[in-house]
Amino acid sequence: DIQMTQSPSSLSASVGDRVTITCQASQDISNYLNWYQQKPGKAPKLLIYDASNLETGVPSRFSGSGSGTDFTFTISSLQPEDIATYYCQQYDNLFTFGGGTKVEIK
Amino acid sequence: EVQLVESGGTLVQTGGSLRLSCAASGFTFSKYWMTWVRRAPGKGLEWVANINQDGSEKYYVDSVKGRFTISRDNAQRSLFLQMNSLRADDTALYFCARGTNTIGPWGQGTFVAVSS
């Protein structure tokens, strides 16, 4: 089984800050990685697919990078509406989510 | 607009059974893989199972193999999850979602509570 280690588990940042979340796979998954956002009380939403591609309609302040085992998700300028938990997900071998990162406003 | 509406979640005793349903609209249901994902209280998302367009391929997370069965009825545009031998650690909000490798859109979820 492929394990996904996501960090940090939570973070607090100010509006306008750059926020970075990392996700490490237990083995090479090429670019078979997605990022999702789940706001409180809402269904998860796909933001980034294939490690670095922005889903249609998602603001350009969100971005993703990486390949192999190490991946990064970035919010270039944190906005109040970005308060959510973010998850990485691999689909190289079945499907595994990372543990999630809860993002709060300082 | 794509809509996925889950139902069937409730309180059930350990060892019991439950069938979750997901009603789909706004897209050609028969053309898509479908997926169940769950989120236990205080925990992250966990992929549970998925099924291909005609139901001939099904995959499960190890923890539910032999207990849960995913199925679909394309004529009724519905996805199902039959859950048997339920355990306390199956307690979660269960989401239905379109797609497989890339999952979305998602429904709002239906909550299953397993208690002794």
Side-chain angles (χ1 to χ4, degrees):
Chain A
D1 294 5
I2 298 175
Q3 307 302 316
M4 304 301 294
T5 303
Q6 190 175 335
S7 62
S9 58
S10 66
L11 65 89
S12 181
S14 300
V15 172
D17 281 355
R18 184 180 185 87
V19 168
T20 299
I21 299 169
T22 64
C23 193
Q24 185 170 59
S26 58
Q27 63 189 68
D28 189 334
I29 59 168
S30 185
N31 67 331
Y32 299 142
L33 183 108
N34 303 320
W35 290 94
Y36 298 84
Q37 175 194 63
Q38 187 174 25
K39 294 185 177 181
K42 299 288 188 181
K45 174 187 171 184
L46 175 69
L47 299 182
I48 304 284
Y49 64 93
D50 295 346
S52 60
N53 295 296
L54 196 66
E55 176 72 348
T56 302
V58 173
S60 59
R61 64 180 179 275
F62 296 101
S63 65
S65 64
S67 66
T69 61
D70 295 302
F71 301 86
T72 300
F73 172 82
T74 300
I75 307 173
S76 61
S77 177
L78 185 68
Q79 300 301 304
E81 60 265 32
D82 300 335
I83 299 312
T85 300
Y86 294 84
Y87 296 91
C88 61
Q89 172 238 333
Q90 68 82 20
Y91 59 93
D92 178 65
N93 183 355
L94 291 183
F95 313 93
T96 317
F97 288 91
T101 298
K102 186 174 182 180
V103 174
E104 298 176 322
I105 297 287
K106 193 182 292 182
Chain B
E1 178 193 6
V2 172
Q3 279 204 315
L4 296 164
V5 180
E6 303 92 337
S7 61
T10 190
L11 175 64
V12 62
Q13 287 196 323
T14 302
S17 296
L18 206 55
R19 190 193 199 206
L20 305 185
S21 300
C22 172
S25 61
F27 65 102
T28 306
F29 181 74
S30 60
K31 290 190 175 180
Y32 288 87
W33 280 76
M34 296 295 295
T35 293
W36 286 101
V37 176
R38 66 185 178 184
R39 182 173 182 180
K43 298 200 173 180
L45 298 172
E46 179 181 41
W47 171 78
V48 175
N50 64 1
I51 186 169
N52 73 339
Q53 290 88 339
D54 66 3
S56 60
E57 292 184 53
K58 304 175 185 181
Y59 301 92
Y60 301 91
V61 68
D62 283 348
S63 60
V64 309
K65 278 181 186 174
R67 301 189 299 122
F68 290 12
T69 302
I70 190 172
S71 62
R72 64 191 297 160
D73 182 336
N74 286 340
Q76 296 297 319
R77 305 167 63 86
S78 293
L79 177 71
F80 305 102
L81 187 67
Q82 178 66 43
M83 309 164 68
N84 299 332
S85 303
L86 283 160
R87 313 186 306 217
D89 62 359
D90 294 318
T91 295
L93 184 62
Y94 284 75
F95 296 97
C96 156
R98 188 179 76 176
T100 179
N101 296 339
T102 300
I103 304 169
W106 303 52
Q108 293 297 314
T110 187
F111 191 74
V112 174
V114 183
S115 174
S116 55

